[in-house]
Amino acid sequence: MNVGDTEKKIWTCFPLRTHRRCDNPIFSIANKIAYGEQMVKAAKNSTETFIGKSTWFNVNSDTVKLINKHVVREKITFLHQKIKELRNI
């Protein structure tokens, strides 16, 4: 895999190449963006649907309130709400 836009090569080691932890679409997105499509998906996509279909959430706010200069408070509030919903399933 090339380093950025250079001709310099970088080795992606085995634990990163063989991925067992996430399903699509996240696997495919990470593989394309971060690993130059070098990863191999070792696990089958889960058919478990107890938390629902994979979804992206857009958290909008009139004012962005940052925590420690990196975390958007509204996103944390939204995440807490979704975790509570999962606990009630």
Side-chain angles (χ1 to χ4, degrees):
M1 181 169 139
N2 288 3
V3 177
D5 293 333
T6 70
E7 293 298 317
K8 185 177 177 183
K9 300 287 184 186
I10 189 170
W11 168 252
T12 306
C13 63
F14 182 74
L16 292 177
R17 280 202 132 150
T18 304
H19 192 76
R20 296 176 174 83
R21 291 183 300 253
C22 65
D23 285 342
N24 283 314
I26 297 301
F27 171 81
S28 296
I29 293 168
N31 193 23
K32 185 172 185 173
I33 292 173
Y35 294 99
E37 299 189 22
Q38 292 186 70
M39 288 195 303
V40 175
K41 191 168 184 326
K44 293 182 180 178
N45 282 334
S46 173
T47 58
E48 189 67 51
T49 58
F50 72 96
I51 62 171
K53 189 176 177 181
S54 177
T55 303
W56 290 92
F57 295 103
N58 184 24
V59 179
N60 290 315
S61 176
D62 293 334
T63 59
V64 175
K65 298 173 188 150
L66 296 178
I67 303 170
N68 295 330
K69 299 180 184 178
H70 299 285
V71 180
V72 178
R73 183 176 303 276
E74 291 82 2
K75 291 182 180 183
I76 297 300
T77 302
F78 184 79
L79 178 61
H80 282 233
Q81 174 190 338
K82 290 299 176 185
I83 290 171
K84 285 179 186 177
E85 290 174 13
L86 285 173
R87 288 182 172 166
N88 291 326
I89 290 179

